[in-house]
């Protein structure tokens, strides 16, 4: 088998947020497999086959892509965001595991991308500046009790919480239930950000509080960020300080001694 | 004040993983401010001033950048990875908050990038395929007890755990303590990934278990991922299924009904 499969993410939407490595992987593919709207984000290449599908058949799509690769095609599976975060990469490996043993010898790789929470955070400042977690509110593949357990743990640990897949027509009530659960554990003035279409030219940000957050303002294109106790506004921005300094202490000017090694 | 400040991240290392938006922001700046090794990653532009500093003066660096912007310069603050994740964006807003009130009127924006955990995950498959959290082990700015509380919550909730800043010369024992804490709460065969220099041409991956993970194999350039109970190997890859399917159930072939809406 001389085919290959690369799983890529287009980033949040704007072409300028797609990495050059992902652009190259897409341009070199003979076949693109993906959800229609993500395929529409990438420029057409002559002679390239596009296999568009709807959004609720990830495993079928993964199997189709693996079959194409096994037949010798150079396949790119196209996700939005980063393909490893609530997107197609895990579905591809699920399909490998359950599928033709020969698929385990295929040349498969993943290209990282800019995931939605990073684009959403950048729209408002630096709300992910402290420790944080990412939870998908979709209960198609896990139980709601698992999601509740994770929300509770995140509140107890004072993580900033990024909520992916916060709402859909099939699940209109879950975000409201998540807000209720968090209201019982966190202060009412906790900052909540509803960021729609982050990383596109139509980005729209609502800065509100946990007490006032309205789940009906959220749709599938919205990323919800629930702040930690330290997340707050400065000017027109919202950020979470790198340390655990509390809001009540934040009038104290930081000193030069309060520095840390910068991340990777 | 006609100056501006943009906070960018170069991504994990390879030029092909820096977004075009970040490349453009860097190219348009009159002044670059950043940690020396990050500045070395970006191509020189004639007439552009570079203000390199060492890695332990983030707040001073942020103030310097804000002063330059206030004096009318077009400043890019250059981080590694994504600037909003354990990097310079939060430091800039801390400096805004504690500094000259006029800084609040400055044109400040953040460009998202590919953060280290996404690059590390892509090197091995899709270990961040389920709900996950990111914790910096640096206790320069928060207490070790806060870090312990977050590790415990993450273990209780069965998050995949990405550990940033896992070790430094000043803090040689902390990762070992974190592993000990997690060993008391999670199975010994939990997958642990030590990914050094992810997203560069020198990337090196160690796939091990929580029982056998050796903190002395980790340095400042390593990103550590501790799996959830469902994280496992398939072929030469490691991934976390999208749902909460347990290892013991994983011989059951997934059905088409097990699909979920793809993320943002």
């Amino acid at each position: 088998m001389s085919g290959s499969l690369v799983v890529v993410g287009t980033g949040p939407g704007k072409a300028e947020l797609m990495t050059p490595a992902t652009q190259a992987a897409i341009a070199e593919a003979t076949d693109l497999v993906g959800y229609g709207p993500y395929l529409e984000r990438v420029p057409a290449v002559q002679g390239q086959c596009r296999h568009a599908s709807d959004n609720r058949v990830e495993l079928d799509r993964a199997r189709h892509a693996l079959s194409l690769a096994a037949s010798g095609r150079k396949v790119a599976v196209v996700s939005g965001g980063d393909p490893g975060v609530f997107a197609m990469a895990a579905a591809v490996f699920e399909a490998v595991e359950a599928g033709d043993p020969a698929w385990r010898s295929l040349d498969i790789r993943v290209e990282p991308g800019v995931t939605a929470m990073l684009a959403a955070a950048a729209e408002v400042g630096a709300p992910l500046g402290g420790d944080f977690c990412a939870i998908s509110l979709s209960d198609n593949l896990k139980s709601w009790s698992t999601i509740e357990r994770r929300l509770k743990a995140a509140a107890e640990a004072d993580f900033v919480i990024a909520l992916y897949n916060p709402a859909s027509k099939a699940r209109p009530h879950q975000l409201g239930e998540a807000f209720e659960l968090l209201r019982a554990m966190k202060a009412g003035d906790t900052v909540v950000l509803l960021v729609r279409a982050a990383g596109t030219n139509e980005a729209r940000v609502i800065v509100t509080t946990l007490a006032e957050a309205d789940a009906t303002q959220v749709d599938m294109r919205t990323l919800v960020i629930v702040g930690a106790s330290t997340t707050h506004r400065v000017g027109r921005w919202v950020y979470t300080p790198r340390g655990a300094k509390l809001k009540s202490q934040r009038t104290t000017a930081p000193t030069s001694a309060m520095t840390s090694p910068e991340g990777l």
Side-chain angles (χ1 to χ4, degrees), chain A:
Chain A
M1 289 188 286
S2 60
S4 63
L5 190 154
V6 58
V7 196
V8 302
T10 58
K14 261 192 273 200
E16 308 92 280
L17 294 177
M18 195 188 309
T19 70
T22 290
Q23 291 174 29
I26 290 173
E28 288 162 12
T30 59
D31 294 73
L32 303 186
V33 175
Y35 175 47
Y38 297 143
L39 291 187
E40 285 163 21
R41 289 182 186 171
V42 305
V45 172
Q46 198 161 18
Q48 194 176 52
C49 300
R50 292 184 172 222
H51 311 267
S53 60
D54 81 23
N55 197 20
R56 293 182 64 83
V57 287
E58 291 175 351
L59 218 44
D60 290 343
R61 199 187 302 159
R63 281 191 279 259
H64 182 211
L66 286 159
S67 300
L68 287 167
S71 74
R73 309 290 294 177
K74 284 188 74 173
V75 182
V77 174
V78 182
S79 272
D82 174 279
V85 175
F86 308 122
M88 281 300 297
V92 165
F93 294 110
E94 283 172 38
V96 168
E97 185 162 33
D100 185 341
W103 289 352
R104 297 185 187 214
S105 323
L106 280 170
D107 173 8
I108 301 177
R109 68 186 172 87
V110 179
E111 281 291 346
V114 175
T115 184
M117 68 180 161
L118 304 180
E123 296 281 358
V124 297
L128 302 178
D131 300 325
F132 62 92
C133 64
I135 300 174
S136 167
L137 283 193
S138 169
D139 65 350
N140 286 357
L141 285 159
K142 63 191 171 195
S143 66
W144 183 249
S145 66
T146 296
I147 295 169
E148 285 182 325
R149 182 163 61 110
R150 289 178 179 164
L151 290 168
K152 282 178 190 165
E156 276 164 13
D158 202 21
F159 281 119
V160 180
I161 306 170
L163 298 175
Y164 281 73
N165 302 316
S168 76
K169 282 176 191 162
R171 303 176 288 106
H173 302 301
Q174 295 181 342
L175 180 62
E177 287 175 38
F179 283 155
E180 279 309 308
L181 183 154
L182 294 172
R183 280 181 194 122
M185 299 184 68
K186 293 171 69 81
D189 68 351
T190 301
V191 175
V192 172
L193 305 165
L194 313 179
V195 189
R196 187 167 194 282
T200 76
N201 292 324
E202 297 86 46
R204 193 193 66 193
V205 176
I206 296 174
V207 183
T208 181
T209 63
L210 188 54
E212 300 196 340
D214 178 359
T216 66
Q217 292 182 301
V218 170
D219 66 9
M220 280 296 286
R221 292 191 70 196
T222 308
L223 195 290
V224 176
I225 297 178
V226 179
S229 62
T230 52
T231 306
H232 63 277
R233 287 175 188 250
V234 54
R236 59 191 186 281
W237 304 283
V238 172
Y239 86 106
T240 303
R242 298 163 297 158
K245 194 171 50 143
L246 297 172
K247 280 181 190 174
S248 58
Q249 300 172 306
R250 75 181 186 237
T251 50
T252 311
T255 67
S256 293
M258 290 182 68
T259 57
S260 80
E262 192 179 341
L264 296 166

